[in-house]
Amino acid sequence: MKILAINGSYRGRQGHTSFLLSKLSKSAVSAGAEFEVIHLTELKIHHCLSCGKCNSPEHYLKCVFDGKDDVRSVFEKMAWADILVFATPVYVFGLSGLLKIFLERLYATADVFDLRLTQSGLVFHHIDQAICSKPFAVLVCCDNLEKEMTGNVTSYFQTYARFNDAPQVGVLVRNAGRFAGHGKDPEAFRRAPKLVEAYEAFETAGKELATLGHITSSTEKSAAQNIIPMPAVFKVLQHFRPFKKIMVKKARQMMKYEEGAV
């Protein structure tokens, strides 16, 4: 099994996204898979100009930036892989601009005048199936405590899957990143004992991708579990505003801010 992860974090190897990917990589490799991580922040990536030349006869399916930046080489690695992992932190309620700019360059691999129906019955156009229809998993993390914070990213990739006939084989969500110390604060495990289970779930996910080709729903649930300690009654009432205030107060009291920990 060949797994390629594309890290859209502007922090590259230093961020929480990279830390979570390392959990997947470690267990996937132990299970016999090849696992490569591409950190987009380390590459030269031009944004799409919407010039349309990639759909002109003289420049058909070739971007004007081919050979001038690193995007085409990443596409080649995507075609090589059996499974992709799109990884991003949440920036202003969505995926990182870096990852979005990269994905927009897929336009140069499609004949947008060749209209077709997807397997799900949607009107779309020709795509490079070796790249766009690849089975993929999503890894998204954020500092916020609300589950809704990651919703735009997961919804984006649901749409991506349907239009590209790409099987989505897993969704890994990890919020409360700052509270958890972004994987760099040993004290976080004392503040949030459930963090151990969450991180172990990311390792399990890597093994499942390598051996099963998908992440099980139980592993997804464990990875996304709430890590802020609170009485059981709060779990029932946590969506009511007065109790949310209590939860926020508790999180603020327990949170440890460290310069450079993000």
Side-chain angles (χ1 to χ4, degrees):
M1 184 71 73
K2 298 183 290 290
I3 304 172
L4 178 69
I6 299 175
N7 179 9
S9 170
Y10 286 104
R11 296 186 182 276
R13 300 173 190 267
Q14 305 304 315
H16 195 205
T17 310
S18 180
F19 171 79
L20 295 172
L21 283 173
S22 71
K23 295 291 185 182
L24 266 68
S25 176
K26 177 182 177 181
S27 55
V29 171
S30 295
E34 296 180 57
F35 197 108
E36 180 179 356
V37 180
I38 293 178
H39 303 279
L40 295 182
T41 190
E42 298 176 359
L43 306 181
K44 184 178 182 180
I45 301 175
H46 290 291
H47 65 80
C48 176
L49 299 176
S50 192
C51 63
K53 290 186 178 180
C54 56
N55 271 256
S56 63
E58 64 275 11
H59 218 262
Y60 186 64
L61 300 186
K62 295 181 180 178
C63 181
V64 295
F65 292 123
D66 283 353
K68 299 179 181 179
D69 70 3
D70 300 311
V71 170
R72 185 62 66 169
S73 64
V74 179
F75 288 168
E76 292 173 356
K77 289 188 176 184
M78 291 170 69
W80 159 86
D82 296 308
I83 296 176
L84 304 175
V85 179
F86 293 115
T88 179
V90 174
Y91 288 126
V92 196
F93 314 114
L95 66 163
S96 74
L98 182 60
L99 181 55
K100 185 63 165 57
I101 287 171
F102 169 76
L103 291 173
E104 286 174 359
R105 290 285 297 279
L106 288 170
Y107 187 85
T109 68
D111 184 338
V112 298
F113 297 107
D114 181 3
L115 295 182
R116 305 181 180 187
L117 282 180
T118 68
Q119 294 177 3
S120 55
L122 298 173
V123 177
F124 201 37
H125 51 63
H126 158 270
I127 59 172
D128 186 339
Q129 292 183 321
I131 300 173
C132 298
S133 298
K134 191 75 64 175
F136 73 94
V138 176
L139 187 158
V140 54
C141 59
C142 66
D143 287 344
N144 194 274
L145 306 178
E146 295 284 3
K147 291 183 178 180
E148 185 177 351
M149 180 58 68
T150 58
N152 279 341
V153 178
T154 55
S155 177
Y156 174 92
F157 282 106
Q158 287 172 357
T159 301
Y160 175 98
R162 294 189 68 213
F163 276 96
N164 286 304
D165 291 330
Q168 184 168 293
V169 297
V171 179
L172 294 171
V173 175
R174 183 65 267 151
N175 66 359
R178 189 179 298 277
F179 177 80
H182 301 98
K184 300 177 182 180
D185 182 6
E187 285 295 307
F189 296 99
R190 179 185 60 79
R191 298 196 303 270
K194 286 290 185 179
L195 190 57
V196 175
E197 293 180 17
Y199 286 161
E200 286 178 347
F202 276 82
E203 294 183 0
T204 300
K207 180 179 179 181
E208 290 176 346
L209 285 176
T211 58
L212 303 177
H214 69 274
I215 303 171
T216 63
S217 58
S218 60
T219 298
E220 291 178 339
K221 183 177 180 180
S222 183
Q225 67 179 288
N226 174 53
I227 62 169
I228 298 179
M230 56 183 178
V233 66
F234 281 11
K235 295 180 182 180
V236 178
L237 302 172
Q238 61 181 303
H239 298 296
F240 291 90
R241 188 176 180 86
F243 290 93
K244 273 196 172 184
K245 287 184 177 181
I246 296 174
M247 183 176 69
V248 170
K249 182 178 180 181
K250 184 176 182 64
R252 293 173 76 176
Q253 290 173 342
M254 301 180 69
M255 190 180 297
K256 181 178 182 182
Y257 291 89
E258 289 189 0
E259 186 176 356
V262 295

